[in-house]
Amino acid sequence: ILHHRSIVHLEEIIKSVKSYEEYPNLSERKILEEAIERLEKIDNEILGDSLSSEDVYEAFDFTLNALAKAEVKLSESALKSNQNELAKLSLKQAQIHVKNAFLLDYSNRSNRTKHFDLEVEVFNEIDSLIKSDSISVREMDKRLSKISNELDILMQDMKKRI
């Protein structure tokens, strides 16, 4: 029963991540596809009764940061379309994903990644943007680009750990 519930929940997560695949930016789609592949690997490990806790950790950490990156890109697109409220909504979603990623890192102290501090920094930068009502569109775009670049650094570091 425990395996069945784990598989059901994991398949729901995979389905949710796949909903982002409609995103038009090819580079983000590739990152999301890689996240799905990692989650599907976990699904297969559960079915084969060969689950590695390190694989679970890596897959979820990668997926959370990939989702944050996609949300930041959605925020950038919304900002360019003068949809400032939608841009902030996407940022809030990105912040949730980054927070969960650094909480995962924090809870896994024995394997804490070196990018834990960068995840916290990204979280704080997003928080600052969300709370700022007087920021210009140009400044917000500049800061979103910085956040996007920092998430790229995180994603590249995670790819090296494979």
Side-chain angles (χ1 to χ4, degrees):
I1 286 182
L2 182 59
H3 286 304
H4 177 71
R5 279 197 331 215
S6 297
I7 290 170
V8 168
H9 290 297
L10 188 55
E11 288 173 355
E12 287 174 9
I13 293 167
I14 292 168
K15 183 179 175 183
S16 179
V17 174
K18 283 182 178 181
S19 71
Y20 280 85
E21 285 190 314
E22 299 300 317
Y23 188 72
N25 187 314
L26 183 61
S27 65
E28 307 325 311
R29 192 175 310 128
K30 286 180 182 178
I31 289 170
L32 293 170
E33 287 171 1
E34 185 174 343
I36 290 167
E37 288 173 13
R38 289 175 180 225
L39 293 171
E40 288 173 341
K41 178 182 176 191
I42 301 304
D43 194 33
N44 290 331
E45 286 181 5
I46 292 171
L47 289 170
D49 206 23
S50 61
L51 186 62
S52 158
S53 61
E54 188 63 27
D55 287 347
V56 172
Y57 167 77
E58 294 283 337
F60 280 105
D61 193 31
F62 187 89
T63 300
L64 289 165
N65 282 295
L67 291 172
K69 172 77 174 175
E71 288 290 352
V72 168
K73 287 299 190 180
L74 288 171
S75 183
E76 287 177 333
S77 294
L79 188 65
K80 289 178 178 147
S81 302
N82 292 323
Q83 297 175 315
N84 297 350
E85 289 305 312
L86 182 58
K88 283 197 176 189
L89 181 63
S90 291
L91 273 180
K92 288 178 184 176
Q93 286 300 120
Q95 185 182 40
I96 290 168
H97 296 311
V98 171
K99 178 183 178 183
N100 287 330
F102 77 68
L103 288 174
L104 179 65
D105 282 345
Y106 187 77
S107 67
N108 194 13
R109 290 182 191 184
S110 63
N111 293 319
R112 184 183 288 178
T113 61
K114 65 183 178 184
H115 62 265
F116 172 79
D117 291 335
L118 186 54
E119 287 172 335
V120 172
E121 182 180 326
V122 167
F123 175 88
N124 289 330
E125 289 173 11
I126 292 171
D127 194 52
S128 171
L129 280 177
I130 291 169
K131 291 177 179 175
S132 177
D133 291 328
S134 61
I135 189 169
S136 70
V137 172
R138 175 182 244 157
E139 180 62 22
M140 187 167 179
D141 187 50
K142 180 180 168 185
R143 290 175 64 187
L144 284 172
S145 290
K146 181 179 185 265
I147 292 167
S148 182
N149 289 336
E150 289 169 340
L151 287 167
D152 283 339
I153 291 168
L154 287 170
M155 302 303 293
Q156 290 304 314
D157 182 58
M158 286 184 229
K159 286 181 179 185
K160 290 177 190 173
R161 291 187 285 154
I162 298 174

